[in-house]
Amino acid sequence: MSDMDSERDPFELLLEEHTKLRGRRSELSDKLAQRSGAFREVVDTIQQLGDQIDVHFHAEEASDCFPELVNTAPRVSDRVAILLAEHGELRAEVHQIVQGAKSRSGTAEDWEQLASQVEVFTGKLMAHERAENELVQEVFTDDIGSKD
C-alpha cells in the first residue's frame, strides 16, 4: 500500500497486501521445513518478513480503511481497536524472533526452535489478517445487503 496506490480502493490494496504476506509466509515455511539455505539466510528472510509487516501495518494504520469501516458500521469499532493493537504485538514478536535467531549458530536444535517460533508467529499473523479480511467483508456485505 504505497503512495502510488493512493488512488486505488484501499480495501482492494489491503487484500492484495494480505496475499503478499501469505506468499512470504509460504516461502519461509518451505525454507524452514527443508532447511534450505544457510541458517543466516533464513534469519534474513524472517527479517525481511518483519520489515514487510512493518510497512504493511504502517500503511494500514495510515490509510482510511479502518476509519471507513467504523464510519460505515460503528458496531465494529471495538474489533478494529483490537486489530490495531495486535499490530504492535505482532511487530514486537517477529523482531524478537529475529533478534533471538541472530545469536544462534544454526545447529539442529536452532533450526527446530526457529521453525517452531515461526510457525506459531505466522499462525497468529495469518489469523490476524484473516480477521481483517472477514471484518471488511462483513461490513460491506451487511452494508450492501441493508440497502436492497
Side-chain angles (χ1 to χ4, degrees):
M1 291 174 22
S2 68
D3 290 336
M4 292 189 322
D5 294 323
S6 62
E7 294 180 18
R8 292 184 57 205
D9 178 358
F11 298 104
E12 180 182 321
L13 294 171
L14 176 94
L15 297 176
E16 285 177 14
E17 288 293 319
H18 291 177
T19 300
K20 289 178 188 176
L21 285 172
R22 281 193 305 274
R24 178 69 65 132
R25 174 197 183 221
S26 178
E27 172 190 331
L28 180 57
S29 294
D30 290 346
K31 284 185 176 186
L32 285 164
Q34 299 168 7
R35 294 188 183 181
S36 61
F39 187 77
R40 293 283 170 236
E41 290 173 8
V42 173
V43 173
D44 288 344
T45 301
I46 299 167
Q47 175 70 60
Q48 291 167 2
L49 174 63
D51 294 344
Q52 183 177 359
I53 289 168
D54 284 341
V55 169
H56 171 68
F57 286 165
H58 175 73
E60 283 184 349
E61 293 158 4
S63 79
D64 292 332
C65 287
F66 291 115
E68 189 171 332
L69 288 174
V70 173
N71 286 337
T72 301
R75 71 183 186 284
V76 303
S77 62
D78 289 345
R79 289 167 56 196
V80 167
I82 291 167
L83 289 168
L84 289 171
E86 287 177 358
H87 286 182
E89 297 165 9
L90 290 164
R91 282 179 174 123
E93 187 171 347
V94 73
H95 292 295
Q96 183 179 16
I97 291 169
V98 169
Q99 291 310 309
K102 285 182 177 180
S103 66
R104 296 190 206 115
S105 61
T107 65
E109 184 179 331
D110 293 339
W111 278 97
E112 290 297 322
Q113 184 177 13
L114 185 60
S116 176
Q117 289 175 321
V118 168
E119 181 179 345
V120 168
F121 170 75
T122 57
K124 290 177 190 177
L125 176 65
M126 292 299 103
H128 171 86
E129 299 303 309
R130 218 173 11 262
E132 288 180 347
N133 291 348
E134 289 168 359
L135 186 61
V136 168
Q137 291 173 353
E138 175 189 325
V139 167
F140 290 105
T141 300
D142 288 353
D143 186 48
I144 291 169
S146 68
K147 305 268 191 270
D148 288 342

